[in-house]
Short mmCIF file of all heavy atoms in Angstrom, two decimals:
data_model
loop_
_atom_site.label_atom_id
_atom_site.label_comp_id
_atom_site.label_asym_id
_atom_site.label_seq_id
_atom_site.Cartn_x
_atom_site.Cartn_y
_atom_site.Cartn_z
N ASP A 1209 -118.65 -89.51 -153.42
CA ASP A 1209 -118.09 -88.35 -154.13
C ASP A 1209 -118.36 -87.04 -153.39
O ASP A 1209 -117.45 -86.28 -153.10
CB ASP A 1209 -118.68 -88.24 -155.54
CG ASP A 1209 -117.98 -89.15 -156.53
OD1 ASP A 1209 -117.22 -90.04 -156.09
OD2 ASP A 1209 -118.19 -88.98 -157.75
N ASP A 1210 -119.62 -86.78 -153.12
CA ASP A 1210 -119.97 -85.51 -152.48
C ASP A 1210 -121.14 -85.71 -151.52
O ASP A 1210 -121.98 -84.83 -151.38
CB ASP A 1210 -120.31 -84.46 -153.54
CG ASP A 1210 -120.24 -83.04 -153.00
OD1 ASP A 1210 -119.43 -82.80 -152.09
OD2 ASP A 1210 -121.01 -82.18 -153.48
N TYR A 1211 -121.18 -86.88 -150.91
CA TYR A 1211 -122.31 -87.23 -150.06
C TYR A 1211 -121.81 -88.13 -148.93
O TYR A 1211 -120.93 -88.95 -149.14
CB TYR A 1211 -123.37 -87.96 -150.87
CG TYR A 1211 -124.75 -87.93 -150.25
CD1 TYR A 1211 -125.55 -86.79 -150.37
CD2 TYR A 1211 -125.24 -89.01 -149.54
CE1 TYR A 1211 -126.80 -86.75 -149.80
CE2 TYR A 1211 -126.49 -88.98 -148.96
CZ TYR A 1211 -127.27 -87.85 -149.09
OH TYR A 1211 -128.52 -87.80 -148.52
N VAL A 1212 -122.40 -87.94 -147.75
CA VAL A 1212 -121.97 -88.69 -146.58
C VAL A 1212 -123.17 -89.37 -145.92
O VAL A 1212 -124.20 -88.75 -145.70
CB VAL A 1212 -121.29 -87.78 -145.53
CG1 VAL A 1212 -120.65 -88.61 -144.42
CG2 VAL A 1212 -120.27 -86.86 -146.18
N TYR A 1213 -123.00 -90.67 -145.65
CA TYR A 1213 -123.99 -91.40 -144.85
C TYR A 1213 -123.45 -91.50 -143.43
O TYR A 1213 -122.33 -91.96 -143.21
CB TYR A 1213 -124.21 -92.80 -145.41
CG TYR A 1213 -124.93 -92.82 -146.75
CD1 TYR A 1213 -124.22 -92.75 -147.94
CD2 TYR A 1213 -126.33 -92.91 -146.81
CE1 TYR A 1213 -124.87 -92.77 -149.16
CE2 TYR A 1213 -126.99 -92.93 -148.03
CZ TYR A 1213 -126.26 -92.87 -149.20
OH TYR A 1213 -126.91 -92.88 -150.41
N ILE A 1214 -124.26 -91.07 -142.45
CA ILE A 1214 -123.85 -91.08 -141.06
C ILE A 1214 -124.58 -92.20 -140.32
O ILE A 1214 -125.82 -92.24 -140.30
CB ILE A 1214 -124.15 -89.73 -140.36
CG1 ILE A 1214 -123.47 -88.58 -141.09
CG2 ILE A 1214 -123.72 -89.78 -138.90
CD1 ILE A 1214 -121.96 -88.60 -141.02
N VAL A 1215 -123.80 -93.10 -139.73
CA VAL A 1215 -124.34 -94.19 -138.92
C VAL A 1215 -124.04 -93.87 -137.45
O VAL A 1215 -122.90 -93.49 -137.13
CB VAL A 1215 -123.70 -95.54 -139.31
CG1 VAL A 1215 -124.36 -96.69 -138.54
CG2 VAL A 1215 -123.80 -95.77 -140.81
N HIS A 1216 -125.02 -94.02 -136.58
CA HIS A 1216 -124.84 -93.73 -135.14
C HIS A 1216 -124.51 -92.25 -134.95
O HIS A 1216 -123.43 -91.91 -134.47
CB HIS A 1216 -123.73 -94.59 -134.51
CG HIS A 1216 -123.90 -96.05 -134.71
ND1 HIS A 1216 -122.87 -96.94 -134.54
CD2 HIS A 1216 -124.98 -96.80 -135.07
CE1 HIS A 1216 -123.30 -98.16 -134.78
NE2 HIS A 1216 -124.57 -98.10 -135.11
N SER A 1217 -125.39 -91.39 -135.33
CA SER A 1217 -125.10 -89.95 -135.25
C SER A 1217 -125.03 -89.48 -133.81
O SER A 1217 -125.89 -89.78 -132.98
CB SER A 1217 -126.18 -89.17 -135.99
OG SER A 1217 -127.43 -89.36 -135.38
N GLY A 1218 -123.96 -88.75 -133.53
CA GLY A 1218 -123.76 -88.14 -132.21
C GLY A 1218 -123.25 -86.73 -132.38
O GLY A 1218 -123.18 -86.20 -133.50
N LEU A 1219 -122.86 -86.13 -131.29
CA LEU A 1219 -122.43 -84.73 -131.32
C LEU A 1219 -121.22 -84.52 -132.21
O LEU A 1219 -121.14 -83.54 -132.95
CB LEU A 1219 -122.12 -84.26 -129.90
CG LEU A 1219 -121.64 -82.80 -129.77
CD1 LEU A 1219 -122.71 -81.84 -130.27
CD2 LEU A 1219 -121.28 -82.50 -128.30
N LEU A 1220 -120.24 -85.45 -132.17
CA LEU A 1220 -119.01 -85.26 -132.94
C LEU A 1220 -119.28 -85.27 -134.44
O LEU A 1220 -118.78 -84.42 -135.18
CB LEU A 1220 -117.99 -86.34 -132.57
CG LEU A 1220 -117.45 -86.29 -131.14
CD1 LEU A 1220 -116.63 -87.53 -130.84
CD2 LEU A 1220 -116.63 -85.03 -130.92
N SER A 1221 -120.07 -86.23 -134.91
CA SER A 1221 -120.36 -86.28 -136.35
C SER A 1221 -121.24 -85.11 -136.76
O SER A 1221 -121.03 -84.52 -137.84
CB SER A 1221 -121.03 -87.60 -136.71
OG SER A 1221 -122.24 -87.78 -136.02
N LYS A 1222 -122.19 -84.74 -135.92
CA LYS A 1222 -123.06 -83.61 -136.26
C LYS A 1222 -122.25 -82.31 -136.37
O LYS A 1222 -122.49 -81.49 -137.25
CB LYS A 1222 -124.15 -83.45 -135.19
CG LYS A 1222 -125.21 -84.54 -135.25
CD LYS A 1222 -126.22 -84.39 -134.11
CE LYS A 1222 -127.28 -85.48 -134.17
NZ LYS A 1222 -128.22 -85.41 -133.03
N THR A 1223 -121.29 -82.14 -135.46
CA THR A 1223 -120.46 -80.93 -135.50
C THR A 1223 -119.64 -80.88 -136.78
O THR A 1223 -119.52 -79.83 -137.41
CB THR A 1223 -119.52 -80.90 -134.27
OG1 THR A 1223 -120.31 -80.90 -133.09
CG2 THR A 1223 -118.64 -79.67 -134.30
N THR A 1224 -119.07 -82.03 -137.18
CA THR A 1224 -118.28 -82.07 -138.42
C THR A 1224 -119.14 -81.75 -139.62
O THR A 1224 -118.72 -80.97 -140.50
CB THR A 1224 -117.63 -83.46 -138.59
OG1 THR A 1224 -116.80 -83.72 -137.47
CG2 THR A 1224 -116.79 -83.51 -139.87
N MET A 1225 -120.31 -82.33 -139.71
CA MET A 1225 -121.19 -82.06 -140.86
C MET A 1225 -121.58 -80.59 -140.93
O MET A 1225 -121.62 -79.99 -142.01
CB MET A 1225 -122.45 -82.93 -140.78
CG MET A 1225 -122.21 -84.43 -140.93
SD MET A 1225 -121.45 -84.91 -142.50
CE MET A 1225 -119.73 -85.14 -141.99
N ARG A 1226 -121.83 -80.01 -139.77
CA ARG A 1226 -122.20 -78.59 -139.73
C ARG A 1226 -121.02 -77.72 -140.15
O ARG A 1226 -121.17 -76.77 -140.93
CB ARG A 1226 -122.68 -78.21 -138.32
CG ARG A 1226 -123.32 -76.83 -138.25
CD ARG A 1226 -123.81 -76.54 -136.83
NE ARG A 1226 -124.73 -77.56 -136.34
CZ ARG A 1226 -124.47 -78.36 -135.30
NH1 ARG A 1226 -123.32 -78.25 -134.65
NH2 ARG A 1226 -125.35 -79.26 -134.91
N PHE A 1227 -119.83 -78.05 -139.65
CA PHE A 1227 -118.63 -77.26 -139.97
C PHE A 1227 -118.30 -77.36 -141.46
O PHE A 1227 -117.98 -76.36 -142.11
CB PHE A 1227 -117.45 -77.75 -139.13
CG PHE A 1227 -116.15 -77.07 -139.45
CD1 PHE A 1227 -115.87 -75.80 -138.96
CD2 PHE A 1227 -115.20 -77.69 -140.25
CE1 PHE A 1227 -114.68 -75.16 -139.27
CE2 PHE A 1227 -114.01 -77.06 -140.56
CZ PHE A 1227 -113.74 -75.80 -140.07
N ASP A 1228 -118.37 -78.58 -142.02
CA ASP A 1228 -118.01 -78.79 -143.42
C ASP A 1228 -119.12 -78.41 -144.39
O ASP A 1228 -118.90 -78.37 -145.60
CB ASP A 1228 -117.64 -80.26 -143.66
CG ASP A 1228 -116.29 -80.63 -143.07
OD1 ASP A 1228 -115.55 -79.70 -142.67
OD2 ASP A 1228 -115.98 -81.83 -143.02
N LYS A 1229 -120.33 -78.15 -143.85
CA LYS A 1229 -121.50 -77.88 -144.71
C LYS A 1229 -121.66 -78.99 -145.75
O LYS A 1229 -121.89 -78.75 -146.93
CB LYS A 1229 -121.38 -76.51 -145.38
CG LYS A 1229 -121.38 -75.34 -144.40
CD LYS A 1229 -121.30 -74.00 -145.12
CE LYS A 1229 -121.48 -72.83 -144.17
NZ LYS A 1229 -120.42 -72.75 -143.16
N ALA A 1230 -121.52 -80.23 -145.28
CA ALA A 1230 -121.56 -81.39 -146.16
C ALA A 1230 -122.99 -81.79 -146.49
O ALA A 1230 -123.93 -81.51 -145.73
CB ALA A 1230 -120.83 -82.56 -145.50
N HIS A 1231 -123.15 -82.46 -147.63
CA HIS A 1231 -124.42 -83.07 -147.99
C HIS A 1231 -124.45 -84.45 -147.34
O HIS A 1231 -123.60 -85.29 -147.63
CB HIS A 1231 -124.54 -83.20 -149.50
CG HIS A 1231 -124.35 -81.91 -150.25
ND1 HIS A 1231 -125.14 -80.81 -150.03
CD2 HIS A 1231 -123.45 -81.54 -151.18
CE1 HIS A 1231 -124.75 -79.81 -150.81
NE2 HIS A 1231 -123.71 -80.23 -151.51
N PHE A 1232 -125.45 -84.71 -146.48
CA PHE A 1232 -125.42 -85.96 -145.72
C PHE A 1232 -126.83 -86.40 -145.35
O PHE A 1232 -127.80 -85.64 -145.46
CB PHE A 1232 -124.57 -85.80 -144.45
CG PHE A 1232 -125.19 -84.90 -143.42
CD1 PHE A 1232 -125.94 -85.42 -142.37
CD2 PHE A 1232 -125.03 -83.51 -143.49
CE1 PHE A 1232 -126.51 -84.60 -141.42
CE2 PHE A 1232 -125.59 -82.68 -142.54
CZ PHE A 1232 -126.34 -83.22 -141.50
N GLU A 1233 -126.90 -87.66 -144.90
CA GLU A 1233 -128.13 -88.16 -144.31
C GLU A 1233 -127.78 -89.19 -143.25
O GLU A 1233 -126.72 -89.82 -143.29
CB GLU A 1233 -129.06 -88.78 -145.36
CG GLU A 1233 -128.58 -90.07 -145.97
CD GLU A 1233 -129.59 -90.66 -146.93
OE1 GLU A 1233 -130.50 -91.38 -146.45
OE2 GLU A 1233 -129.48 -90.42 -148.15
N TYR A 1234 -128.68 -89.33 -142.27
CA TYR A 1234 -128.50 -90.31 -141.22
C TYR A 1234 -129.16 -91.62 -141.63
O TYR A 1234 -130.27 -91.62 -142.16
CB TYR A 1234 -129.11 -89.82 -139.91
CG TYR A 1234 -128.46 -88.57 -139.37
CD1 TYR A 1234 -129.16 -87.38 -139.23
CD2 TYR A 1234 -127.12 -88.58 -138.99
CE1 TYR A 1234 -128.56 -86.23 -138.73
CE2 TYR A 1234 -126.50 -87.44 -138.49
CZ TYR A 1234 -127.24 -86.28 -138.37
OH TYR A 1234 -126.64 -85.15 -137.87
N VAL A 1235 -128.48 -92.74 -141.36
CA VAL A 1235 -129.05 -94.06 -141.59
C VAL A 1235 -128.89 -94.89 -140.33
O VAL A 1235 -127.95 -94.69 -139.56
CB VAL A 1235 -128.39 -94.78 -142.79
CG1 VAL A 1235 -128.72 -94.09 -144.10
CG2 VAL A 1235 -126.88 -94.88 -142.62
N LYS A 1236 -129.79 -95.85 -140.13
CA LYS A 1236 -129.76 -96.64 -138.90
C LYS A 1236 -128.73 -97.75 -138.95
O LYS A 1236 -128.30 -98.26 -137.90
CB LYS A 1236 -131.15 -97.21 -138.64
CG LYS A 1236 -132.19 -96.15 -138.28
CD LYS A 1236 -133.53 -96.80 -137.96
CE LYS A 1236 -134.56 -95.74 -137.57
NZ LYS A 1236 -135.88 -96.36 -137.26
N SER A 1237 -128.33 -98.15 -140.16
CA SER A 1237 -127.42 -99.29 -140.29
C SER A 1237 -126.54 -99.12 -141.51
O SER A 1237 -126.96 -98.50 -142.51
CB SER A 1237 -128.23 -100.57 -140.41
OG SER A 1237 -127.44 -101.65 -140.86
N VAL A 1238 -125.33 -99.69 -141.46
CA VAL A 1238 -124.45 -99.68 -142.62
C VAL A 1238 -125.10 -100.41 -143.79
O VAL A 1238 -124.82 -100.11 -144.95
CB VAL A 1238 -123.09 -100.32 -142.27
CG1 VAL A 1238 -122.19 -100.41 -143.50
CG2 VAL A 1238 -122.38 -99.51 -141.19
N ASP A 1239 -126.00 -101.34 -143.50
CA ASP A 1239 -126.68 -102.07 -144.57
C ASP A 1239 -127.55 -101.17 -145.44
O ASP A 1239 -127.93 -101.56 -146.54
CB ASP A 1239 -127.56 -103.18 -143.97
CG ASP A 1239 -126.73 -104.27 -143.31
OD1 ASP A 1239 -125.58 -104.48 -143.74
OD2 ASP A 1239 -127.22 -104.91 -142.35
N ARG A 1240 -127.84 -99.97 -144.96
CA ARG A 1240 -128.63 -99.01 -145.74
C ARG A 1240 -127.77 -98.16 -146.66
O ARG A 1240 -128.28 -97.33 -147.41
CB ARG A 1240 -129.42 -98.08 -144.80
CG ARG A 1240 -130.34 -98.80 -143.82
CD ARG A 1240 -131.51 -99.46 -144.51
NE ARG A 1240 -132.36 -98.49 -145.18
CZ ARG A 1240 -133.36 -97.84 -144.59
NH1 ARG A 1240 -133.63 -98.05 -143.31
NH2 ARG A 1240 -134.11 -96.98 -145.28
N VAL A 1241 -126.46 -98.36 -146.60
CA VAL A 1241 -125.52 -97.59 -147.42
C VAL A 1241 -125.23 -98.37 -148.71
O VAL A 1241 -125.01 -99.58 -148.66
CB VAL A 1241 -124.21 -97.34 -146.65
CG1 VAL A 1241 -123.22 -96.58 -147.50
CG2 VAL A 1241 -124.50 -96.60 -145.34
N PRO A 1242 -125.21 -97.71 -149.88
CA PRO A 1242 -124.87 -98.41 -151.12
C PRO A 1242 -123.54 -99.15 -151.01
O PRO A 1242 -122.61 -98.68 -150.35
CB PRO A 1242 -124.80 -97.28 -152.15
CG PRO A 1242 -125.69 -96.22 -151.60
CD PRO A 1242 -125.54 -96.29 -150.11
N GLU A 1243 -123.42 -100.29 -151.66
CA GLU A 1243 -122.24 -101.15 -151.55
C GLU A 1243 -121.01 -100.56 -152.24
O GLU A 1243 -119.90 -100.66 -151.74
CB GLU A 1243 -122.54 -102.53 -152.14
CG GLU A 1243 -123.16 -103.51 -151.16
CD GLU A 1243 -122.19 -103.94 -150.07
OE1 GLU A 1243 -121.05 -104.33 -150.39
OE2 GLU A 1243 -122.58 -103.88 -148.89
#
């Protein structure tokens, strides 16, 4: 709804999150994301 899980964070995803001022967190694997 209003939250983003980032897998494999790199410059492109970081730039988007910064530009959108999104609520997010980095996770090491998709398995850490709610189903």
Side-chain angles (χ1 to χ4, degrees):
D1209 277 14
D1210 198 31
Y1211 201 79
V1212 189
Y1213 290 89
I1214 303 293
V1215 185
H1216 306 163
S1217 63
L1219 179 61
L1220 294 171
S1221 60
K1222 288 176 180 176
T1223 300
T1224 301
M1225 294 300 101
R1226 190 178 305 116
F1227 176 79
D1228 287 349
K1229 296 182 173 63
H1231 305 301
F1232 69 96
E1233 69 177 275
Y1234 297 117
V1235 292
K1236 292 183 178 180
S1237 166
V1238 176
D1239 293 332
R1240 303 291 298 273
V1241 179
E1243 273 291 311

